[in-house]
Amino acid sequence: MSSDSGFKVESNGFSFANYGNEDGVVNLDEAMMHKLFGDQVCARVEGGSCTLYPTAQKWMRSINDSMDGGHCFGMAGLAWAMYQDTIDPQQYGGPDAAELPFQGNTNLQRELASVFATQFTQPTKSAVSVVSATEAVEMLEQGWAAGNGYVLALYRLVDGKQIDGHAITPVAVADEGNGVTTLSVYDNNFPDQVKRLEINTADDTWTYRTSSDPKDDPEVYKGGSNNELQLFPVSIMLAPQTCPFCDVANADDELEATAGSTEGETEGPLTAVFLNQQAGHHGVRLDVVGADGQPIPGASTYQPFTAGGTDPGVQFIPNETPFVVRIDATRMTQNADVTIMGQGAYWSADRIDMVPGAVEEIRFDPATATVSYLTEMGSSPDIAVGFDHPDASYRFLFGGLKLAKGGSLDVALDQQRGIVTAQVGGSGKSKVDFVMDRITANRDQEFTSRPIPLHENESIVIEYAKWRGPGSPVPIGIDMDGDGVIDEELVRGG
C-alpha cells in the first residue's frame, strides 16, 4: 500500500540547504515579532512599525541565537505551506519554493525564522503528536487525504538522551514488503534529494540517516518506543501564536512543558533559562537546581529542533521558584551568555569569559527579583535586567566591573519603589558603571553613567522612577549598610 501527498521535493522543496546564523542571515526582527504576537509585544506602534518591549527584544535574541545550528523547523513547515499555497511563494520571488533565491532574500529568511520560532510557543507546542513510526504513517495518510500537512521531528538518542533535533517534511509512504515501509521526505539538509526513513513494522522501529547541523556528516538516527517521532500540523504553525514571555496575566500556560523531549510534567507559567548556542557547542554546561542544591520539582528541559550536540537545551522552572544556575566550562575557553526569562521581565549575565574547569553560579530569587552572580575564577560579566510596563519600560546593563575570585554582584529590581540596586561582594573596592534605557509610548531615552566607586557590600541605588529624561539628573545614591536606604546621594546629570 502506498500513498503520496503530491509534494515534489525537486520543485516544492527549497533549492538551498539548511543554514545557521552565517554572516548576512536575517532572523526574527520587530516586524516578525509583531506578526507572531500582535501589539502586546510592542511598547509603541508608529506607522505600522513596532518598538518592542525589553522582554520581547531579549526573547527574540535568545530564539535567534538558537537558530545558529540550523533553521530546519522553519524550512520544513514553510515548504509545505508554500506547496499548499497557504503562503504564496510569489511574494518571496518565485512560483514555488525551489525557485526562491536565498542570498539577499531577507523577507524569506525572516519568514523561515518566524515559523522556526513557533516550536517554542502555543498553540504549536501543544498541537504536537508524539507517535510511534506506524502511528506516524497512519496520521500522515489520513492528513494528506484531508489536505493537511505535517512537520516530522526526530532526535538522535545517545545514552538515553534525545539530542540533535531535526525537522523534515514527509511527502510519501511506500510498502516495500517483508515488513518494511519507507517514508519519503524532503530533508532540508539535502536539497533536490528524496530521502527515506525506513520503518520496521514488525517491531515498530525506525531508522534514518541525516545530520542535525548541515555542516556535519550524516549520522544514523533510530528509534522505537524509547525514541518516538513527533508530528506538528503545519496549519497550527502558521496560526497566530500566544506570547510566552508577556505578563503572567496574559501568558496563561505558554511556557508549559512540551511533550517528547521534555522531562517531567509542569502546569502553569514557567521561567525559562537559555544558554547561548556557541557556548553549548563548545562544552559549557548548565545545571539548574533549587536554592538548596536539590532537583526542582516540575522543572523540565526542552531540546529545540536545531543542531545542539550536547547543548543543554532550554531549562524551564516553575514560576516563583528560587534556583541556582551552575555554569560549567568543561573543555575550552568560551564566552557564555545566560538569560533568565520570566513573564514581563528578564535577567541575564553576558560575556562570561569561561575557562576549562571553571564553575560559575547565578542565583535567582523571584521573591525579591534579585539575580546574584558569584565567580569562582574572577570574572567581569555584564549583568542586565529589564521589565515591561505600559507607561514606561526599563532595561539596565551593569558592567565595567572586574570581580575578584570568590566575588559577587547582586542586582535587584523593586518595581513598587521604582529602584534598582547593584551590590558588590568579596572584591574590596570596585567601580561599576551602568546604562539605563527607558522605553515609553512616545520615545526611547538613555542614560549612561560614569564609573561609580563602591566598597565591598555597598550598593548603588538607582531611583529610576524619578528620572525625568535626558537633561535632567538621575537620582543615584549609595547604600552603605544594606538596609535599602540611601546613605550618600550621588546625583548624576542626564
Side-chain angles (χ1 to χ4, degrees), residues 125-142 150-155 162 170 183 197-200 203-207 222-233 258-261 305:
K125 286 171 57 177
S126 56
V128 64
S129 296
V130 182
V131 293
S132 69
T134 54
E135 288 172 339
V137 169
E138 293 173 2
M139 279 190 65
L140 290 169
E141 291 179 326
Q142 293 172 8
Y150 295 86
V151 166
L152 176 65
L154 41 78
Y155 291 98
Q162 292 174 317
L183 180 60
L197 182 148
E198 186 173 291
I199 298 169
N200 185 324
D203 59 7
D204 206 4
T205 58
W206 59 269
T207 304
K222 57 184 178 181
S225 59
N226 62 338
N227 186 22
E228 294 187 301
L229 300 170
Q230 298 188 30
L231 288 174
F232 291 83
T258 302
S261 62
F305 295 106

Side-chain angles (χ1 to χ4, degrees), residues 199-443:
I199 298 169
N200 185 324
T201 57
D203 59 7
D204 206 4
T205 58
W206 59 269
T207 304
Y208 185 59
R209 187 172 178 82
T210 190
S211 55
S212 178
D213 190 325
K215 297 185 291 292
D216 296 338
D217 293 330
E219 297 184 88
V220 175
Y221 284 52
K222 57 184 178 181
S225 59
N226 62 338
N227 186 22
E228 294 187 301
L229 300 170
Q230 298 188 30
L231 288 174
F232 291 83
V234 174
S235 59
I236 301 297
M237 297 163 62
L238 304 178
Q241 303 294 304
T242 308
C243 176
F245 51 82
C246 295
D247 186 78
V248 173
N250 300 318
D252 297 324
D253 58 351
E254 269 47 81
L255 287 174
E256 69 184 20
T258 302
S261 62
T262 304
E263 302 167 4
E265 297 182 358
T266 307
E267 295 182 356
L270 305 179
T271 299
V273 182
F274 294 86
L275 173 70
N276 64 310
Q277 279 232 333
Q278 283 297 318
H281 291 170
H282 288 89
V284 176
R285 311 296 305 132
L286 284 189
D287 182 24
V288 183
V289 297
D292 58 0
Q294 299 301 308
I296 302 172
S300 58
T301 301
Y302 175 61
Q303 189 69 252
F305 295 106
T306 180
T310 56
D311 183 88
V314 183
Q315 313 293 309
F316 291 102
I317 312 300
N319 265 15
E320 309 306 324
T321 302
F323 58 84
V324 178
V325 182
R326 293 174 179 156
I327 314 159
D328 184 355
T330 57
R331 294 209 302 264
M332 64 175 63
T333 300
Q334 175 67 39
N335 280 342
D337 302 331
V338 177
T339 298
I340 299 170
M341 183 68 62
Q343 278 75 49
Y346 73 86
W347 297 258
S348 68
D350 299 331
R351 298 172 58 192
I352 306 169
D353 190 15
M354 302 295 293
V355 297
V359 178
E360 305 284 272
E361 281 192 359
I362 299 173
R363 297 178 182 173
F364 180 64
D365 183 356
T368 59
T370 300
V371 62
S372 303
Y373 185 90
L374 295 86
T375 180
E376 174 186 272
M377 61 185 181
S379 186
S380 53
D382 292 335
I383 305 297
V385 58
F387 68 91
D388 306 337
H389 193 278
D391 296 330
S393 302
Y394 290 83
R395 55 177 166 243
F396 301 84
L397 177 65
F398 293 88
L401 175 68
K402 176 64 178 177
L403 295 173
K405 292 182 179 180
S408 64
L409 175 63
D410 300 348
V411 176
L413 169 65
D414 187 336
Q415 293 190 55
Q416 287 191 332
R417 295 175 60 196
I419 65 172
V420 167
T421 61
Q423 182 183 58
V424 175
S427 289
K429 189 174 182 180
S430 305
K431 290 184 178 180
V432 181
D433 57 46
F434 70 90
V435 177
M436 174 175 64
D437 293 312
R438 178 164 65 186
I439 302 96
T440 70
N442 299 314
R443 57 182 174 172

Side-chain angles (χ1 to χ4, degrees), residues 48-87:
S49 178
C50 169
T51 297
L52 294 176
Y53 278 121
T55 307
Q57 189 172 80
K58 192 67 173 180
W59 185 87
M60 177 182 74
R61 290 175 178 172
S62 295
I63 300 304
N64 282 345
D65 175 78
S66 72
M67 301 180 204
D68 190 51
H71 292 68
C72 60
F73 195 82
M75 294 183 72
L78 190 60
W80 180 272
M82 289 183 173
Y83 160 65
Q84 279 200 315
D85 286 329
T86 308
I87 291 181

